[in-house]
Amino acid sequence: MITPDFKAGLRVILQDSRDTLLWKLEGLSEYDIRRPMTPTGTNLLGLVKHLAGAEAFYFGTVFERPVDAPELWIAGDAEPNADLWATPDETREQIVGDYRRICAHADATIEALPLDAVGHLPGEPGREITLHRTLAHMIYETSRHAGHADIVRELIDGAAGQRAEGDNMAPGDASWWAEHREKVERAAKEAAGERPSGARGCV
């Protein structure tokens, strides 16, 4: 009979999302990792910077194991969205290095404490959170932002997929994907009551 190691299982899932996020930066220019790709300014390096701050907050501050990290604006320690973009003097190496360092600190916290260890959310008197709940939250948050990064990267240069060694995508070249996209577009228009391009009928 296999005895489940819940902590180890959660760690594997968290690390997979961390690795996916960082892979999305590979092979891109300084401009491309920083450029805003949505109306709200979502960008790849900013996502890494934000998650560095989040890991430090949840696995550091909450469990009284502080570590130097980017300040989270939502915690009231920085100007709005300061942790979601990189200034010109913040290098890729610095932000990625900070993320790796803080993730290692988070892993040390996870290793040192039992899943039922209780932390305290600052600024919210009486609000407690277990390490188990914290791990679940950071898996959710990291996976969510890795998904953002996936879309942002595809918008930049067309690269898509879950990870370098296995992209988890349907097989097909550029022409196959163009045809697939057009099929999806036609279906959307038909569902919306629009006549497909080239269709004939009574006026």
Side-chain angles (χ1 to χ4, degrees):
M1 179 177 178
I2 298 175
T3 302
D5 186 337
F6 296 112
K7 186 193 289 188
L10 292 169
R11 268 277 297 108
V12 167
I13 297 169
L14 177 58
Q15 188 59 50
D16 188 54
S17 292
R18 290 168 173 170
D19 293 342
T20 296
L21 177 74
L22 290 179
W23 175 52
K24 296 301 174 179
L25 275 66
E26 291 185 12
L28 293 180
S29 68
E30 283 295 325
Y31 173 67
D32 281 337
I33 63 172
R34 298 164 181 266
R35 62 191 284 209
M37 296 300 294
T38 70
T40 56
T42 304
N43 64 94
L44 292 173
L45 196 57
L47 291 172
V48 177
K49 181 180 176 181
H50 168 71
L51 283 170
E55 293 242 10
F57 177 81
Y58 281 104
F59 294 114
T61 304
V62 167
F63 290 95
E64 297 182 352
R65 297 169 60 91
V67 59
D68 184 47
E71 296 178 333
L72 295 174
W73 80 268
I74 200 168
D77 298 326
E79 68 180 48
N81 280 5
D83 54 307
L84 288 160
W85 63 284
T87 63
D89 59 333
E90 291 177 315
T91 68
R92 177 200 311 237
E93 291 75 20
Q94 173 193 342
I95 291 175
V96 171
D98 280 347
Y99 183 55
R100 293 187 187 280
R101 171 180 58 81
I102 292 164
C103 286
H105 179 87
D107 289 344
T109 296
I110 296 166
E111 181 65 27
L113 302 176
L115 285 176
D116 60 359
V118 176
H120 302 272
L121 292 164
E124 301 184 47
R127 186 168 176 197
E128 299 178 333
I129 185 170
T130 64
L131 179 64
H132 191 176
R133 178 67 180 80
T134 300
L135 261 167
H137 173 80
M138 279 310 304
I139 288 170
Y140 157 76
E141 183 161 355
T142 307
S143 297
R144 177 172 180 259
H145 291 313
H148 292 153
D150 201 17
I151 299 299
V152 167
R153 179 63 189 257
E154 186 174 358
L155 290 171
I156 290 171
D157 67 355
Q162 187 174 0
R163 55 179 66 90
E165 64 276 12
D167 60 20
N168 199 33
M169 302 284 289
D173 57 17
S175 62
W176 186 91
W177 281 108
E179 183 178 336
H180 171 71
R181 187 187 185 284
E182 180 57 32
K183 178 170 60 178
V184 175
E185 177 71 13
R186 288 196 306 270
K189 288 182 175 179
E190 183 176 343
E194 296 182 28
R195 182 180 302 168
S197 177
R200 303 178 63 183
C202 298
V203 178

